[in-house]
């Protein structure tokens, strides 16, 4: 069969709009990649409409995976084109070579409102909350001769916030850029690997406050400003964040839990469905050997009270993301619980956490500015032998 006949019998291919929707990038981005780097469709239908073959789509998918790993677009394009002429792009889950990330510096802007903060104005996804790459083989051989040579690439501008993902990320770490791009593409493999790499490299507190929270908030803002679009992106990202938090014990060394140590009870207020922040707190406390009892989302009042009476906890963390779910009366009721023999009765430390709390209603209770602050407070309750410092709070 001649080449002309093969083209005549081949499937028509995808339009640029269809490819953009599939990859989670804008049509303008695809046209820019075609113009700058030669990553465009080889075939055009009658009328000069651009049609993307499976090979064309695979090439830009590989480009997206490379940029999700933190590679600048020009460098990613060179690698994608080179590999398309040398066996094709790697599998979706294959790692992108990047240098080890530097330790995360503290950033009070990101830490604020991640656990126990006051601002409740974020959108639905934010209510779920609380380095430069290697050269990537820039001297690689040229791409397939059937593709036109790309135009001279425009030198990338190293801006941390220019995610190219369509999400309003702002000034964030490089890892957030890759995670946002992968989430918008619904690239589960890359989202999963990016989150696990962040936890393994930076620890739970750093990964949560500097990488997970900014990306979740960006998805929430995008959802709120786009007439309920990107709901699927929020669900996929939230599920993978939860999975990464629960996988943390497999990635990080854990301190031993002292025998007989009273636990910390973690619970969402009744009707509060957003449990990701206390999942992060659970994982961070478990890493430090603090025993916990996780009750999760929307815990009924009587069930929470029964758990406290049965376990005699050192502390109770009550999470509320929205003011409609916060209950100062419940916090005071927990604070009033007592147990033990007369003269040695114990009571829990009650920590109302989350942006839903009106601090005037829970004045006198402890407060935390972020996940790291909460971990420090709760871990500091315990002596090295697992006893609560100074005994239980006397009733």
């Amino acid at each position: 069969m001649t080449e002309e006949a093969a083209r005549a019998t081949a499937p028509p291919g995808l339009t640029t709009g269809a490819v953009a929707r599939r990859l989670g990038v804008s049509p303008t981005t695809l046209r820019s990649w075609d113009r700058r780097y030669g990553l465009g469709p080889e075939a055009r239908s009658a009328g000069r409409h651009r049609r993307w073959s499976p090979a064309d789509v695979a090439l830009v998918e590989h480009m997206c995976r490379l940029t999700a790993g933190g590679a600048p677009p020009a460098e990613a394009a060179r690698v994608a084109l080179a590999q398309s002429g040398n066996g094709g792009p790697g599998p979706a889950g294959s790692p992108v070579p990047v240098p080890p990330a530097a330790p995360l510096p503290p950033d009070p802007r990101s830490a604020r409102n991640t656990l126990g903060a006051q601002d409740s104005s974020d959108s639905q996804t934010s209510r779920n909350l609380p380095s430069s790459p290697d050269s990537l083989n820039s001297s690689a051989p040229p791409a397939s001769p059937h593709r036109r040579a790309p135009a001279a690439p425009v030198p990338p501008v190293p801006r941390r916030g220019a995610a190219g993902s369509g999400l309003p990320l702002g000034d964030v770490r490089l890892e957030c850029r890759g995670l946002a791009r992968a989430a918008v593409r619904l690239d589960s493999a890359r989202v999963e690997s990016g989150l696990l790499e962040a936890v393994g490299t930076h620890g739970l507190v750093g990964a949560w406050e500097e990488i997970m929270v900014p990306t979740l908030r960006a998805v929430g803002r995008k959802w709120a400003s786009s007439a309920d679009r990107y709901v699927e992106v929020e669900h996929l990202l939230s599920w993978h964040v939860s999975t990464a938090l629960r996988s943390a014990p497999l990635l990080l060394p854990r301190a031993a839990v002292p025998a007989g140590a009273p636990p910390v009870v973690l619970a969402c207020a009744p009707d509060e469905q957003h449990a990701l922040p206390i999942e992060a707190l659970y994982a961070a406390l478990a890493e430090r050997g603090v025993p916990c009892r996780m009750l999760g989302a929307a815990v009924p009042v009587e069930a929470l009270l029964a758990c406290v009476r049965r376990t005699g906890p050192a502390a109770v963390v009550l999470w509320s993301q929205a003011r409609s779910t916060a209950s100062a009366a419940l916090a005071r009721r927990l604070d009033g619980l007592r147990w033990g023999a007369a003269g040695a009765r114990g009571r829990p430390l009650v920590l109302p956490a989350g942006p839903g709390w009106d601090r005037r209603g829970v004045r006198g209770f402890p407060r935390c500015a972020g996940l790291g602050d909460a971990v420090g407070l709760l871990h500091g309750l315990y002596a090295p032998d697992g006893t609560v410092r100074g005994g239980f709070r006397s009733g």
Side-chain angles (χ1 to χ4, degrees), residues 3-384:
E3 184 176 348
E4 291 77 8
R7 282 199 299 267
T9 58
L14 297 176
T15 65
T16 297
V19 174
R21 287 190 294 273
R22 175 171 171 175
L23 299 180
V25 299
S26 69
T28 301
T29 297
L30 290 178
R31 295 187 185 102
S32 174
W33 287 355
D34 184 17
R35 183 177 65 255
R36 293 185 177 192
Y37 313 125
L39 294 173
E42 297 185 31
R44 293 178 185 267
S45 64
R48 304 296 294 169
H49 293 294
R50 301 150 61 88
R51 297 292 178 178
W52 295 74
S53 70
D56 298 328
V57 175
L59 186 62
V60 291
E61 282 180 335
H62 190 41
M63 167 80 169
C64 287
R65 288 197 298 271
L66 291 168
T67 56
E75 197 70 27
R78 281 195 289 270
V79 173
L81 286 168
Q83 293 184 353
S84 73
N86 293 276
S94 59
V96 179
V98 293
L104 288 170
D107 185 348
R109 294 171 302 170
S110 297
R112 194 183 68 234
N113 292 336
T114 59
L115 191 77
Q118 307 308 307
D119 184 4
S120 59
S121 61
D122 281 345
S123 57
Q124 180 73 18
T125 298
S126 58
R127 289 200 297 268
N128 279 340
L129 308 177
S131 65
S132 63
D134 282 334
S135 89
L136 296 178
N137 193 17
S138 60
S139 59
S144 167
H146 299 293
R147 286 194 181 275
R148 67 184 181 280
V154 176
V157 179
R159 291 178 57 197
R160 298 171 70 204
S165 61
L167 297 181
L169 283 163
D171 185 22
V172 297
R173 291 186 60 86
L174 185 63
E175 293 94 331
C176 294
R177 297 172 56 188
L179 186 60
R181 290 180 178 126
V184 171
R185 294 198 314 273
L186 302 180
D187 187 344
S188 288
R190 184 59 204 169
V191 171
E192 178 182 10
S193 63
L195 289 169
L196 294 180
E197 288 167 10
V199 171
T201 302
H202 304 302
L204 275 161
V205 173
W208 172 256
E209 293 186 338
E210 293 284 345
I211 296 170
M212 297 178 187
V213 167
T215 310
L216 285 164
R217 285 200 179 128
V219 173
R221 288 191 292 269
K222 189 69 173 180
W223 179 2
S225 64
S226 59
D228 285 341
R229 293 176 57 206
Y230 294 91
V231 176
E232 70 282 6
V233 175
E234 186 272 339
H235 280 259
L236 181 138
L237 180 60
S238 295
W239 187 88
H240 279 290
V241 168
S242 177
T243 301
L245 293 171
R246 299 184 190 199
S247 301
L250 304 176
L251 304 173
L252 303 171
R254 299 180 64 178
V257 177
V264 172
V265 171
L266 307 174
C268 288
D271 300 322
E272 178 57 69
Q273 298 291 338
H274 302 99
L276 275 182
I278 58 171
E279 289 186 32
L281 181 57
Y282 177 92
L285 291 174
E287 181 185 5
R288 289 157 177 78
V290 175
C292 296
R293 301 294 182 268
M294 166 65 84
L295 301 185
V299 182
V301 171
E302 292 305 321
L304 178 55
L305 295 175
C307 177
V308 173
R309 292 189 187 103
R310 293 177 60 186
T311 60
V316 178
V317 178
L318 188 60
W319 176 264
S320 178
Q321 190 75 32
R323 292 199 173 183
S324 60
T325 65
S327 171
L330 177 57
R332 287 192 291 269
R333 188 172 177 184
L334 290 167
D335 190 58
L337 290 179
R338 304 290 187 272
W339 57 80
R345 296 175 66 79
R347 59 186 286 208
L349 173 77
V350 178
L351 175 59
W357 294 98
D358 180 354
R359 289 299 165 184
R360 292 170 297 181
V362 288
R363 188 175 289 115
F365 287 85
R367 56 189 299 181
C368 294
L371 178 60
D373 194 12
V375 171
L377 171 66
L378 297 169
H379 183 244
L381 294 176
Y382 295 86

